[in-house]
Amino acid sequence: MAAVDLTTHPGHLARRLQQAHYLLWNTMVSEEVTSPQFAVMNALVAQPGLDQRTVGERVGLDRSTVAEVITRLGRRELLHKVRDPQDGRRFLLRLTDEGLRTHRRLTVRTARMNQVFLAPLSAEERTVFFDLIRRVAAAAEDLRDPADQAVTRG
Amino acid sequence: MAAVDLTTHPGHLARRLQQAHYLLWNTMVSEEVTSPQFAVMNALVAQPGLDQRTVGERVGLDRSTVAEVITRLGRRELLHKVRDPQDGRRFLLRLTDEGLRTHRRLTVRTARMNQVFLAPLSAEERTVFFDLIRRVAAAAEDLRDPADQAVTRG
DNA sequence: TCGAAATACTCAGTGCCCTGACTAATGGCG
DNA sequence: CGCCATTAGTCAGGGCACTGAGTATTTCGA
C-alpha cells in the first residue's frame, strides 16, 4: 500500500536509461568493445601516455575498475602499459595501432548509435537533456569530494 | 586527435548519473539494501504474490538478475518464495514482516535522497528531466522488443 | 492423448562498479 | 640520511547486468 512510483525516482530512471543504452551499444556499436572500454580508449587518443589514475579520473572510473578495463584491453592487444621510468609506481598507457584503428571504427558507429538513441528528442530537447543530466551528476559528484569544488568550478 | 567529447554522449552521461546516484544511495539510504533491491521490494509491496518474471518486468531487470536479487533478499529474510500450486514453474514472492518494515523505513530515506539529488534543478526542470529520460529510455526499450509496443502503449 | 512449443527458472560465463586492505615506490622533513 | 606520509596500483569480496544453454512444467494442437 505504501508503494512508491519509481518513475519519479531519478536513480531508477538513470538505471533504465543506462540499460537501454547498453543494449543499443551491443547491437549497433560492438559486442567486443564495451562503452567504458571505448571511453578509456578515447581518453588515450586525446592524450597518449596517461597513467591509470588519470584515465580513471577523466572517464569517471575508480582505480579498481580502470585496472580491470585496462587488463581486458591489454589482453586484446588494443593497448599496452609500460612502467614510467620517472616514477616507478605509474604505468603509462598507449593504444596499439590496432587500438587506434578500432577506436576510429567505433567512433563512427557510436555517432550513428547516438542519433538513434536520441531520436525521440528534438534538437533543443537534446541540449536540455545534456544540461540537466550534467548538472545533476556534477552536483552529486561534488557531494562526494567537496575538496576540489573550487578547483573544478570557479 | 580524433578523440571525441564524451560529455555529448548520452550513454556516458547515463553511466555517470547512475554512479553518482549509487554513491548517494550508499551514504543517504542504506549500505545493506541496494537500489535495485528496493525496487523489487517496492513491486512486492504494490502487489504481493508476484512471480519473478513479472517483478523483473515491472522494475526492468532480466530473469537472471532478478533471480540473484531475490536470492539475496531471501537470505536476509526480507522476502520468501513459495512454489505456485497452480503452476509449478512459478515462484510466488512475498515480503516478510521485516521486509515490509525495511521498505517503509527506506521509503522515507529515499525521498530525502531524491531531494538532495535533484537539488540543482528547479521544479519545472525536474518535470522536464523525468520526461526526457523516460522518453529516451522507453524508445530504446521498444527497439529491443518491437513486439509489444502496441500493448505497452497504444 | 501425446508430443512439440512455450514458459519459468537456473546456471555458467563475462564485464562493470564499488569498498577496504594490501604492496611498492616516492618525496619531504626532521 | 632515514623515516614516514602520500600515492599508484593490486587483490579479495560483494553486487548488478547481460547472454546462451539447460531443466522442469505447462499448454496447445494434431
Side-chain angles (χ1 to χ4, degrees):
Chain A
M1 278 305 63
V4 134
D5 178 10
L6 291 180
T7 64
T8 64
H9 283 219
H12 184 72
L13 256 18
R15 186 171 63 76
R16 308 282 300 242
L17 187 65
Q18 215 224 322
Q19 283 170 221
H21 172 263
Y22 171 87
L23 262 357
L24 204 55
W25 179 281
N26 255 322
T27 61
M28 290 194 63
V29 180
S30 172
E31 293 184 340
E32 317 281 309
V33 178
T34 65
S35 170
Q37 284 171 17
F38 177 77
V40 166
M41 294 177 75
N42 193 62
L44 292 174
V45 167
Q47 196 169 337
L50 289 179
D51 63 316
Q52 292 188 197
R53 195 194 113 281
T54 309
V55 167
E57 218 166 67
R58 298 279 168 89
V59 303
L61 294 174
D62 70 303
R63 60 220 149 103
S64 294
T65 305
V66 160
E68 289 181 26
V69 170
I70 284 173
T71 297
R72 282 186 275 268
L73 288 174
R75 246 193 334 245
R76 299 204 190 144
E77 309 273 338
L78 296 175
L79 145 172
H80 56 89
K81 51 196 266 190
V82 289
R83 193 69 81 165
D84 184 346
Q86 256 72 60
D87 184 340
R89 291 168 300 182
R90 281 191 174 84
F91 287 103
L92 304 183
L93 307 169
R94 251 164 231 289
L95 293 190
T96 62
D97 287 349
E98 159 136 23
L100 285 166
R101 275 195 298 277
T102 300
H103 176 269
R104 203 152 39 228
R105 186 159 36 86
L106 295 191
T107 296
V108 178
R109 299 202 201 167
T110 301
R112 276 202 289 267
M113 189 215 59
N114 286 340
Q115 288 307 309
V116 173
F117 196 57
L118 294 172
L121 307 187
S122 70
E124 313 88 73
E125 284 174 329
R126 292 176 197 193
T127 310
V128 174
F129 180 75
F130 289 140
D131 176 57
L132 297 182
I133 294 183
R134 274 196 288 255
R135 279 162 56 199
V136 171
E141 283 165 11
D142 280 353
L143 287 177
R144 187 161 168 53
D145 336 273
D148 48 25
Q149 277 185 49
V151 180
T152 308
R153 276 166 264 314
Chain B
M1 272 300 63
V4 135
D5 178 10
L6 292 179
T7 64
T8 64
H9 283 219
H12 184 71
L13 255 19
R15 187 171 63 78
R16 308 281 302 239
L17 187 65
Q18 215 223 323
Q19 283 170 223
H21 172 262
Y22 172 88
L23 263 355
L24 204 55
W25 180 281
N26 255 322
T27 60
M28 288 193 63
V29 180
S30 172
E31 294 185 339
E32 317 281 311
V33 178
T34 66
S35 171
Q37 284 171 17
F38 178 75
V40 167
M41 294 177 75
N42 193 61
L44 292 174
V45 167
Q47 198 169 336
L50 290 179
D51 64 317
Q52 294 188 195
R53 197 194 109 282
T54 309
V55 168
E57 217 167 67
R58 299 279 167 89
V59 303
L61 295 174
D62 71 305
R63 64 224 145 97
S64 294
T65 306
V66 159
E68 289 180 26
V69 170
I70 284 172
T71 298
R72 282 186 275 268
L73 288 174
R75 247 194 332 247
R76 296 201 193 148
E77 309 273 337
L78 296 175
L79 147 171
H80 57 89
K81 52 196 264 190
V82 289
R83 192 69 82 165
D84 183 345
Q86 255 72 61
D87 185 340
R89 292 168 299 183
R90 281 190 173 85
F91 286 102
L92 304 183
L93 306 170
R94 253 162 229 290
L95 293 189
T96 61
D97 287 349
E98 161 136 22
L100 285 166
R101 274 195 300 275
T102 300
H103 177 269
R104 202 151 41 227
R105 188 158 35 86
L106 295 190
T107 296
V108 178
R109 299 202 201 166
T110 300
R112 275 203 289 266
M113 189 215 58
N114 286 340
Q115 288 307 310
V116 173
F117 197 57
L118 296 173
L121 307 187
S122 70
E124 312 87 73
E125 284 174 328
R126 292 176 197 193
T127 308
V128 175
F129 180 76
F130 289 139
D131 176 59
L132 297 181
I133 293 183
R134 275 196 289 253
R135 278 163 56 199
V136 171
E141 283 165 10
D142 280 353
L143 288 178
R144 186 158 169 54
D145 338 91
D148 47 26
Q149 278 183 49
V151 180
T152 309
R153 275 168 269 310

